[in-house]
């Protein structure tokens, strides 16, 4: 009988959660990343089904091999490509406990640094330290709400993401931020009202998905389908921008979606009750890690970043997960001005907050 793996599987971000069934006679499992041994895991005598982890994996794209051993002899093995490894600490999600005074002071100064209406929501998932500024204000969502569309599709489809007819569209939606893919996937997610209800179920309070995305002329020429608690500080509104219709969201809601995704990736939280499996959450994380656009956080992080950005001449947003050896940092930045937003300026403002938040994690 061959070794069977149900985790890790291809195209997922995985912190070393290893699950499956071993062949008879297996006494231990050896996990290798790119040919190098990571851990040997002992099986209880007579047990074939196993679930280990998180044991932690090197934070990069990996080919993993799991070997079933009887003593020193390899009985069977399984190889999985396209796995992005994460540290074991990145699975920790502590409830929000305290406001980080230094980071709070930094985010409160964002508007002065950016020169536009800004908002931020920062949460250290391992420690529970938080900070936020204008996090309840509604901003035009741009492409950030494609994150909600992705989760809406995952919640409604029963098959593994890679076997779903939506997989190529999901890749285009996240990796390329394709408006065509968003419009094709929105009905599969149940429509705008269903996406908004899903976000409310995750803890969001002020997101409106509304309708399809407008397509640029170039896009029209290529029409082929290619333990959660309310965070601290409260979702206050300090400076509510005025903008034309229609899609909108808040820094709080985007941060809440990302926290829910992290919880689901290790088998916890409200997303599971709404139909998103741990496997689907880990696939979503892989997609977010492999986005092609820089955003505001990735250029400022020495660690891997999974994110969904939204940008137009008058707005620059980024909702990001920073995967550090000490745990995951959630960082959301939103910036809007009818007269236009300077990308270098808002990126530098995000850098100030991010570096401070990372430095204070130890």
């Amino acid at each position: 009988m061959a070794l069977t793996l149900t985790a890790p599987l291809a195209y997922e971000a995985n912190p070393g959660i290893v699950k499956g069934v071993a062949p008879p006679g297996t006494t231990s499992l050896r996990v290798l990343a790119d040919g190098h041994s990571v851990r040997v895991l002992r099986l209880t005598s007579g047990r074939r089904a196993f679930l280990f982890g998180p044991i932690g994996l090197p934070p990069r794209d990996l080919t993993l091999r799991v070997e079933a051993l009887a003593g020193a002899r390899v009985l069977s093995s399984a190889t999985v490509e396209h796995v992005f490894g994460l540290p074991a600490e990145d699975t920790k999600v502590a409830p929000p406990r305290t406001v980080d005074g230094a980071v709070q002071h930094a985010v409160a100064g964002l508007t002065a640094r950016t020169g536009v209406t800004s908002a931020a929501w920062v949460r250290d998932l391992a420690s529970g330290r938080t900070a936020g500024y204008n996090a309840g204000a509604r901003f035009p969502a741009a492409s950030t709400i494609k994150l909600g569309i992705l989760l809406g599709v995952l919640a409604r489809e029963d098959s593994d993401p890679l076997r779903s007819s939506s997989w190529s569209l999901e890749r285009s939606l996240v990796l390329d931020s394709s408006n065509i893919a968003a419009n094709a996937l929105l009905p599969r997610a149940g429509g705008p009202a269903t996406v908004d209800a899903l976000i409310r179920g995750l803890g969001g309070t002020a997101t409106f998905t509304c309708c399809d995305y407008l397509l640029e002329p170039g896009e029209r020429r290529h029409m082929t389908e290619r333990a959660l608690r309310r965070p601290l500080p409260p979702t206050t509104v300090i400076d509510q921008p005025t903008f034309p219709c229609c899609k909108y969201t808040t820094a709080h809601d985007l941060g809440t979606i990302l926290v829910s995704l992290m919880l689901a990736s290790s088998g916890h939280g409200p997303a599971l009750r709404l139909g998103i499996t741990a496997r689907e959450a880990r696939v979503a994380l892989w997609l977010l890690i492999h986005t092609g656009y820089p955003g505001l956080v990735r250029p400022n992080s020495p660690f891997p970043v999974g994110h969904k950005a939204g940008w137009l001449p008058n707005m620059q947003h980024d909702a990001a997960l920073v995967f550090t050896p000490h745990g995951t940092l959630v960082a959301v930045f939103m910036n809007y001005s009818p007269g236009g937003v300077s990308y270098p300026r808002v990126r530098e403002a995000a850098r100030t907050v991010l570096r401070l938040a990372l430095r204070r994690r130890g």
Side-chain angles (χ1 to χ4, degrees), residues 53-331:
I55 62 173
L57 293 172
R60 62 177 188 271
D61 284 304
L62 303 167
T63 295
L64 292 181
R65 180 180 174 87
V66 180
E67 297 176 338
L69 306 177
R73 182 165 61 97
V74 178
L75 298 177
S76 180
S77 65
T79 299
V80 185
E81 298 180 327
H82 305 297
V83 174
F84 194 93
L86 296 175
E89 294 295 307
D90 283 339
T91 61
K92 293 183 178 179
V93 181
R97 295 189 176 112
T98 60
V99 174
D100 187 317
V103 179
Q104 180 64 30
H105 179 75
V107 297
L110 277 174
T111 293
R113 294 189 187 96
T114 63
V116 300
T117 302
S118 298
W121 193 94
V122 180
R123 181 168 160 190
D124 181 336
L125 297 189
S127 70
R129 293 194 299 270
T130 70
Y133 170 77
N134 207 23
R138 298 174 179 181
F139 283 70
S143 290
T144 60
I145 207 62
K146 291 171 184 173
L147 181 57
I149 295 173
L150 172 66
L151 297 191
V153 174
L154 294 175
R156 288 172 64 89
E157 297 198 342
D158 295 329
S159 61
D160 186 88
L162 273 63
R163 294 194 294 270
S164 167
S165 62
S166 299
W167 175 236
S168 63
L169 286 170
E170 291 166 358
R171 288 177 63 102
S172 293
L173 176 78
V174 181
L175 303 188
D176 305 322
S177 200
S178 165
N179 289 345
I180 296 173
N183 292 348
L185 287 171
L186 189 55
R188 302 189 189 196
T194 302
V195 172
D196 293 347
L198 172 70
I199 294 171
R200 287 194 300 272
L202 299 176
T205 59
T207 293
F208 182 49
T209 304
C210 165
C211 47
D212 284 353
Y213 282 85
L214 297 176
L215 301 181
E216 298 297 327
E219 291 180 292
R220 294 191 184 100
R221 291 195 296 268
H222 303 282
M223 291 301 291
T224 55
E225 291 190 353
R226 308 186 304 150
L228 193 66
R229 305 180 187 177
R230 181 179 296 275
L232 297 173
T235 56
T236 52
V237 179
I238 298 169
D239 183 8
Q240 173 61 63
T242 300
F243 54 89
C245 76
C246 290
K247 299 176 184 69
Y248 59 75
T249 190
T250 70
H252 162 266
D253 282 17
L254 292 173
T256 296
I257 293 170
L258 292 177
V259 174
S260 298
L261 192 57
M262 289 303 299
L263 282 166
S265 70
S266 57
H268 305 285
L272 299 183
R273 298 191 294 272
L274 296 172
I276 298 170
T277 66
R279 157 69 173 161
E280 289 171 333
R282 293 195 292 267
V283 170
L285 292 178
W286 186 95
L287 289 169
L288 295 175
I289 289 168
H290 289 83
T291 54
Y293 38 84
L296 304 176
V297 174
R298 181 177 287 165
N300 294 316
S301 172
F303 307 108
V305 171
H307 71 126
K308 186 70 197 79
W311 65 96
L312 287 169
N314 59 357
M315 67 190 78
Q316 288 284 345
H317 309 325
D318 205 5
L321 295 162
V322 183
F323 300 104
T324 86
H326 304 290
T328 303
L329 182 74
V330 184

